[in-house]
Amino acid sequence: MADALNALLTQSCFSVLQDRLEKWQREYHVISCDENMNRCCEMMEFTAKIQGQLFAILNSVAAEGQHTDGVSTLKTRLLPWLGACFSPLQPPVHKDTGFSLFQDLAEKERKLKELPSGNMSDMQWMESQLCSTRLELDSVKAELNEAHRDLNKTKSKTATTLQTTEEELLQLKEDLRAAHLQKDLYKQKLDSYHDYERQMSKLRDEVSYLSSQRLARNNSVRLPSSLRCTSTPLRSETTPRSQLTSSSRLMRVVSRFSDLYNEERKEAQLQLQGYLNDLETVRRIIFIAVVESFKAAKLAHRLFRLRARKSLSSCHFGPESLEDTVVDYIVRNQDLYDVENSVEEVLSAMNLNPRIASIPKVNFSVVSPLIRETCKLAFTMQTLDPPIDLAFASDGELFISNKYRRSPDSDLSAQLVLYHVWPALMQGGTVRAKGEVVTKKGAVWSRSPISFMRSQSLSPTRNLVSVRNGTDRIFQIVLLLSVEARNLLWNAIRHKTRLCMLHYSQIQPQ
């Protein structure tokens, strides 16, 4: 009995019964009526099996006891339960309904006979599907085996390829290291090549300038065309000046300075000769106009630069310095330069100049075109680095062939300058364009050939305005003087003093 009970306990029959009942409850509304009936019959069969095992245990328990043991239990519990189970739960069937029950039973038997045939056809279809599925499975297995073989081949090839790839990788690393070393070597060569190019460019500029100077000595009237047409063609006038290189801008301003000498100077000389017959006086007036134009343009450039720096300092940003930005702004906006104001300042300064202010019956406004163009050119020259300025000039100075050329009416044996016809251009310590002077024997420092006064022909109002304008001009010129300019002026005074003493020693025996 104990073994049967243990076996029943081990099988967990009631747990299985509970699981089946829960599963049936979840699927009750999903499956068909026939399936529900099958589930119910399965539960009854399973319950009957459990009851059979319990009846076997009950029989074993009754056999182990005495003849009278368990009788009361059978009478009070088992027999009443059995009677209740087999008692009719419904009223007996009426005799009129017997025929209908037999018909229903026959119909159900017929359906039960037809069911195997339908199940057989379904079984055959399922068997055919199963066969086709097996064939597909066999083909898939064959493909899988083929894939396994390919995978094994690929693994073997990959192993060998990986080994060779590692060797190639090491070789590529060595090649890369060698390439980096070669790149550094090429970079050093490229840097040296750029240095050579810069040096060659400088040498070309020097050669071009020396060629222009050599040709200028052979032709004292026109600037040689080699300076205008170098190995690199100049851009047209419509090209923005800020896009030109420093050397190109330098050649442009030097060429323009030569055009002033050949065109505007000659026109101004013709205009003045209508008032004066003295060629020396006319030349002096033109020279003083050019010098005063440069002074006015330098002052205007300095004021323009201060205003530009003040305006750009608040909004400046970028890799360039503020000074470079200011210079670029000035180069791009030279049309903002008030050249007419500079022309008025030059005319006022000429009216106060003691060498030419006393000349009667001459209106200096006739040289305004020359003054205007000279101011524009001088303003442009101040934007170069370093800026271009006029060479220091004074009457009676020693003639220097590297700085000046003699005029056709000069005394070739004289070494002192009588007066200047056209100034020389200097950039730092380099002469960019030669000037023109007249040399005569017996020339003295600050010699003035004019002995009469112009103030007699001027009205008091004009004298007053000229004095006021001259005072402002002198104040502006003093502001422009730096320490270097004062030192240069002092050296020039000492040089002129020595020249005067030399000239005095030459004329003393006479």
Side-chain angles (χ1 to χ4, degrees), residues 423-442:
L425 285 182
M426 299 288 292
Q427 187 178 28
T430 305
V431 179
R432 292 302 182 185
K434 284 187 176 182
E436 183 177 344
V437 295
V438 175
T439 57
K440 294 289 183 179
K441 290 184 178 179

Side-chain angles (χ1 to χ4, degrees), residues 310-324:
K310 183 178 180 181
S311 300
L312 296 175
S313 60
S314 60
C315 59
H316 171 70
F317 65 92
E320 295 183 353
S321 62
L322 179 60
E323 292 298 326
D324 294 338

